[in-house]
């Protein structure tokens, strides 16, 4: 640990000497997780998550375990993610706790996110296929055994020919003292294996829940079917003592000595058969919800052709390392993220961006980046040098984002979990009340005898209770949200919109305001120097060069100073020169103003250089610009260009710490020197920007632009994009303040950016959106990542959110209405009025189909396509002159 601390301190000192401030040190373990001595995280593959009551039960039980810090249950991925204190317990302790709760649990582990997800997805697919086959076999067998009972009891006995009825009612015991009808014996023999063999899973689940002091859907099925089966056995035993005249359950003069009840083996058998059928349909449908993730994982090639001394060797793609050079022939997939070092071809990147158009690739730095899983469409072969493997690969990052999104909970789902926690207990209470009330009413003859004459008071009340138990469906309520979230995030991934979780998916539907950063977001992010104009006569003396070499000297000095800057415009200033006549000895980045540097010329002369805004010129103590120079600079700004000024010869550098421009410890401006030039840099507006803005405004969303440029440049770019409001001269730390200001007005704000300085604003916004080409900080801080770098996808993200939550609302409405109406009807609420009772077997079928309908409803999101909004707004009024606010 001491060696690590020494290395960290040395790195901090080196960064400080380079002119940067270290704001935070992030230590990482080998697997990429934060190395905190008091916190570790493990993922568990869990089997036995039978219904919506399981997640809150696991969270509650593990939350009470000493040392457990955080628990997240990912039902559809069949995983539990646990953060714990490693000093107090380990991952295996958590696994044992899960097993004690009645679940199958193993610690998940793999080499990288994509490998881990691929292994997990394969295991889940095999388990799900086995589960589907098992449910299918059991449902088919249950139906084969239950249908004969149904046909005999419900069709042949009441409506069959007399000879058939007499044969069915024949006494198979051959005794005058005891009586057992042939159809009753057959029903018993067929119903028993259904009850105790095919229905064993429900008893096992109910017992596990009982041991945990809770109840699940298995509890409801076990109680309901046991009640029907148990009463049927009692009915057979009681009827076996009937007089000969009553052996067909008919009344006679000796009414008090005979039992007139009817067995309900067909009810218990059909209950289990229909529940198994519903489980089969639900398992098949749930298997399709992870189709988007499975499609991504299957794109990763298993083998790669590696070139070593011009010799080709086929190796396992998982064994690739940074620096390896791979040969990718036409028709083959790129095995890992890398850069093209030789060859030219076109590549299908639709798996990342959703864009079907082939992308040209060559060794040109502008188009040499390729990604693992994309396909070389030809015509040429590519030689690709690997630059990222494992968790650093784009595919692994996408997989992590999708898994996190599909496993996260929305506030609506959290509320549904709370309801589901108490739902089963409430249903049991309602069923008991229904049995007691109807039995008491019949026993006291408070209701007409014709209502219960056929079954008797006890059975009359019992059938209401059984119907309540089997009609209630907590699974439909529990599946309403997670299935829609999983399919919705999968649809987004297919369209190139990566949504990082349920929370941004939930919030994005209510976005009322979208704020765009200018550079790299509304513009192409490839700034170019369009004009360098000298404005000082004594520039040669200040820079130590010949009079005819001033222009080149200015460009070289600016490039040397900006080489250490991370600002997007710095690249344009650096790329314009090749010469190295100046060396940078000291550097400071002045947020929102520019840079200051101390340069050493080839002849040993020291030059203090400042490159930045007019504000920086004032901080340097520079004289005001000549009116003619100011006019020419403003002309370029009015055209949308960014103008930076170059000041040379100041007595000392402006310090980053001094808010008024002086170096630390000295409040006076440096003074001396002169402004020697200004440089106009233009970053063209994206071609799809105007259409994307029109689409958002057509949907009633307010649009703003943020930039650190002058108000004239901001107005020009905003007008080209059709944005009515812009904030200019906003420093990086002021972008978050602008977002907070809009939020303070009651708006739900979406921030769209791509740069390092956009990170705080993306984090402040209700929904942060990063362009896929942006910096890693912006992508990490954002809630949504646009892999296609298309601004139209901002509108698509909002539409996906709205469509997903519309489906969640409809799912929840259906679930609540089904249970809200089904339970009272099953309890007999309509019986006094309509004389209609919900048969238990019909209630079981309705319950089974309700879960399937919810999952099928969520799956229909796969057909969603975002509606284009730009064309619809073309006919609107022309954009007015933008309103520009200076500062935050």
């Amino acid at each position: 640990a001491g060696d690590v601390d020494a290395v960290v301190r040395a790195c901090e000192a080196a960064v400080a000497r380079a002119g940067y401030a270290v704001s935070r040190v992030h230590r990482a373990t080998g697997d990429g997780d934060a190395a905190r001595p008091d916190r570790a995280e493990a993922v568990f593959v869990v089997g036995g998550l039978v219904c919506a009551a399981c997640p809150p039960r696991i969270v509650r039980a593990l939350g009470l375990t000493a040392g457990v810090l955080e628990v997240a249950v990912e039902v559809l991925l069949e995983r539990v993610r646990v953060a714990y204190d490693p000093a107090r317990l380990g991952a295996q302790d958590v696994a044992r706790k899960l097993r004690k709760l009645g679940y199958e649990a193993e610690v998940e582990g793999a080499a990288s996110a994509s490998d881990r997800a691929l292994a997990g997805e394969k295991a889940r697919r095999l388990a799900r296929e086995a589960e589907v086959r098992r449910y299918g076999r059991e449902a088919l067998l249950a139906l084969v055994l239950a249908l004969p009972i149904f046909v005999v009891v419900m069709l042949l006995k009441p409506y069959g020919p007399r000879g058939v009825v007499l044969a069915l009612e024949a006494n198979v015991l051959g005794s005058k003292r005891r009586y057992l009808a042939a159809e009753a014996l057959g029903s018993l023999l067929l119903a028993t294996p259904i009850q105790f063999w095919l229905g064993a899973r429900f008893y096992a689940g109910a017992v596990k829940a009982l041991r945990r002091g809770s109840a699940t859907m298995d509890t409801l099925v076990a109680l309901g079917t046991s009640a029907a089966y148990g009463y049927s056995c009692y009915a057979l035993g009681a009827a076996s003592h009937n007089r000969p005249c009553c052996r067909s359950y008919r009344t006679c003069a000796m009414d008090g000595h005979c039992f007139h009840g009817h067995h309900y083996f067909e009810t218990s058998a059909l209950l289990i058969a229909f529940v198994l059928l519903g489980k089969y349909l639900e398992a098949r449908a749930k298997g399709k919800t992870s189709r988007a993730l499975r499609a991504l994982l299957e794109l990763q090639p298993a083998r790669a052709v590696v070139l070593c001394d011009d010799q080709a060797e086929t190796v396992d793609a998982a064994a690739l390392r940074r620096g390896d050079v791979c040969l990718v022939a036409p028709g083959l997939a790129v095995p890992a993220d890398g850069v093209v070092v030789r060859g030219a071809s076109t590549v299908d990147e639709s798996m990342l961006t959703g864009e079907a158009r082939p992308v040209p690739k060559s060794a040109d730095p502008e188009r040499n980046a390729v990604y693992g899983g994309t396909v070389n469409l030809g015509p040429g072969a590519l030689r690709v040098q690997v630059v990222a493997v494992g968790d650093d690969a784009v595919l692994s990052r996408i997989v992590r984002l999708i898994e996190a999104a599909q496993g996260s909970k929305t506030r609506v789902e959290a509320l549904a979990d709370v309801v589901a926690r108490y739902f089963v207990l409430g249903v049991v209470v309602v069923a008991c009340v229904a049995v007691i009330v109807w039995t008491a009413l019949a026993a006291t003859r408070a209701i007409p005898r014709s209502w219960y004459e056929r079954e008797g008071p006890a059975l009359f009340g019992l059938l209401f209770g059984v119907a309540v138990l089997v009609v209630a469906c907590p699974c439909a309520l529990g599946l309403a949200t997670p299935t829609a979230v999983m399919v919705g995030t999968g649809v987004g991934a297919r369209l190139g919109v990566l949504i990082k979780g349920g929370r941004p998916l939930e919030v994005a539907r209510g976005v009322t305001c979208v704020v765009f950063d200018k550079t790299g977001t509304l513009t192409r992010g490839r700034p170019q120097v369009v004009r360098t104009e000298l404005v000082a006569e004594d520039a040669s003396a200040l820079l130590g060069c010949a009079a005819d070499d001033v222009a080149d000297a200015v460009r070289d000095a600016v490039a040397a100073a900006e080489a250490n800057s991370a600002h997007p415009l710095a690249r344009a200033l650096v790329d314009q020169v090749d010469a190295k006549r100046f060396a940078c000895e000291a550097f400071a980045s002045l947020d929102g103003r520019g840079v200051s540097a101390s340069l050493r010329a080839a002849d040993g002369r020291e030059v203090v250089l400042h490159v930045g805004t007019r504000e920086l010129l004032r901080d340097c103590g520079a004289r005001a610009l000549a009116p003619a120079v100011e006019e020419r600079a403003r002309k370029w700004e009015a055209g949308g260009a960014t103008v930076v000024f170059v000041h040379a010869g100041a007595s000392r550098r402006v310090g980053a710490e001094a808010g008024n421009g002086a170096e630390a410890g000295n409040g006076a401006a440096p003074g001396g020197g002169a402004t020697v030039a200004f440089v106009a840099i233009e970053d063209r507006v994206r071609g799809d920007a105007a259409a994307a803005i029109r689409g958002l405004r057509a949907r009633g969303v307010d649009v703003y632009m943020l930039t650190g440029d002058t108000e004239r440049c901001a107005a020009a770019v905003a007008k080209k994009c059709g944005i009515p409001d812009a904030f200019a001269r906003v420093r990086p730390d002021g972008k978050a303040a602008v977002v907070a200001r809009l939020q303070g007005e009651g708006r739900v704000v979406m921030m769209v950016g791509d740069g390092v300085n956009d990170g705080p604003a993306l984090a402040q916004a209700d929904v942060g959106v990063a362009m896929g080409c942006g910096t890693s900080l912006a992508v990490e801080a954002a809630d949504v990542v646009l892999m296609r770098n298309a601004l139209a996808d901002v509108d698509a993200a909002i539409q996906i959110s709205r469509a997903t939550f519309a489906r969640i609302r409809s799912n929840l409405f259906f679930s609540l209405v089904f249970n809200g109406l089904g339970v009272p009807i099953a309890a007999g609420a309509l019986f006094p009025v309509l004389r209609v009772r919900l048969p238990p077997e019909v209630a079981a079928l309705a319950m089974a189909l309700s879960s399937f309908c919810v999952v099928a409803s969520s799956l229909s999101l796969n057909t969603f396509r975002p509606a284009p909004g730009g064309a619809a707004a073309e006919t609107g009024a022309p954009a007015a002159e933008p309103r520009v606010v200076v500062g935050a």
Side-chain angles (χ1 to χ4, degrees), residues 498-831:
L498 296 184
I499 302 172
K500 291 187 178 180
R503 192 206 67 82
L505 188 67
E506 183 173 17
V507 175
R509 66 192 172 102
V511 165
T512 59
C513 170
V514 177
V515 180
F516 288 93
D517 177 56
K518 181 181 78 71
T519 304
T521 303
L522 291 172
T523 60
R524 296 180 182 275
R526 294 191 292 270
Q528 295 178 332
V529 174
V530 294
R531 177 72 172 177
T532 301
E533 186 168 326
L534 303 177
V535 299
E537 296 179 356
D538 57 347
S540 59
L542 293 171
L543 295 173
C545 64
D548 59 352
D549 194 28
V550 173
D552 288 339
V554 167
R555 283 192 289 268
D556 293 346
V558 170
E562 293 285 354
N564 297 306
S565 174
H567 195 281
L569 297 181
R571 185 175 61 185
L573 297 170
V574 174
D575 290 347
Q576 65 173 337
V577 297
D578 296 323
K580 300 293 183 183
R581 72 174 76 186
F582 293 96
C584 182
E585 294 187 338
F587 169 85
S589 178
L590 312 172
D591 285 349
R593 292 177 290 165
V595 302
S596 69
S598 179
L599 308 180
R600 181 71 63 181
D603 60 1
R605 176 193 297 264
E606 181 182 3
V607 179
V608 175
L609 197 76
H610 295 87
V611 183
T613 64
R614 292 176 177 83
E615 183 182 359
L616 182 57
L617 294 183
R618 290 193 297 270
D619 292 342
C620 292
R623 293 186 298 272
L625 296 171
V629 174
E630 183 69 41
E631 182 180 354
R632 291 195 299 272
R634 292 190 177 192
K635 182 178 179 181
W636 282 105
E637 290 174 336
T642 300
V643 174
V644 296
F645 297 90
V646 183
H647 183 279
S651 60
R652 62 179 180 274
R653 292 190 303 115
V654 173
E657 300 87 351
N660 64 354
E663 286 189 302
N666 191 333
T675 303
V676 297
F678 71 78
V679 182
I681 306 171
E682 187 173 33
D683 191 2
R684 294 187 177 181
V685 173
R686 293 178 183 267
D688 62 341
I693 302 305
R694 285 196 299 269
L696 288 169
R697 296 184 65 191
R699 299 187 193 284
V701 178
D702 296 331
V703 181
Y704 293 83
M705 185 186 76
L706 282 179
T707 180
D709 282 328
T710 65
E711 55 269 35
R712 287 174 292 278
C713 178
V717 174
K719 187 171 183 179
K720 290 178 182 179
C721 296
I723 296 177
D725 297 279
F727 292 87
R729 298 184 185 275
V730 180
R731 293 186 179 185
D733 56 350
K735 292 183 178 182
V738 171
V739 172
R741 170 181 167 182
L742 293 172
Q743 289 173 322
E745 297 173 1
R747 301 170 185 263
V748 180
V749 180
M750 173 182 282
M751 172 70 193
V752 186
D754 77 314
V756 172
N757 56 14
D758 296 326
L762 292 172
Q764 173 67 41
D766 297 288
V767 182
V769 179
M771 308 297 284
C773 64
T775 64
S776 58
L777 176 61
V779 171
E780 289 299 323
D783 301 305
V784 179
V785 181
L786 307 182
M787 297 303 299
R788 295 194 303 178
N789 300 313
L791 292 176
D793 288 345
V794 175
D795 186 24
I798 296 175
Q799 291 188 56
I800 291 170
S801 172
R802 291 176 178 177
T804 300
F805 267 81
R807 194 53 45 88
I808 289 174
R809 283 195 299 269
S810 64
N811 287 350
L812 289 174
F813 177 79
F814 170 79
S815 303
L816 293 173
V817 168
F818 173 82
N819 286 292
L821 295 180
V823 171
I825 291 174
L830 299 181
F831 188 80

Side-chain angles (χ1 to χ4, degrees), residues 18 153 217 348 515 782:
V153 175
M217 180 180 165
D348 177 10
V515 180

Side-chain angles (χ1 to χ4, degrees), residues 468-491:
V468 170
L469 290 173
V470 297
V471 78
C473 186
C475 286
L477 188 62
L479 291 171
T481 300
T483 54
V485 169
M486 175 169 276
V487 177
T489 52
V491 169

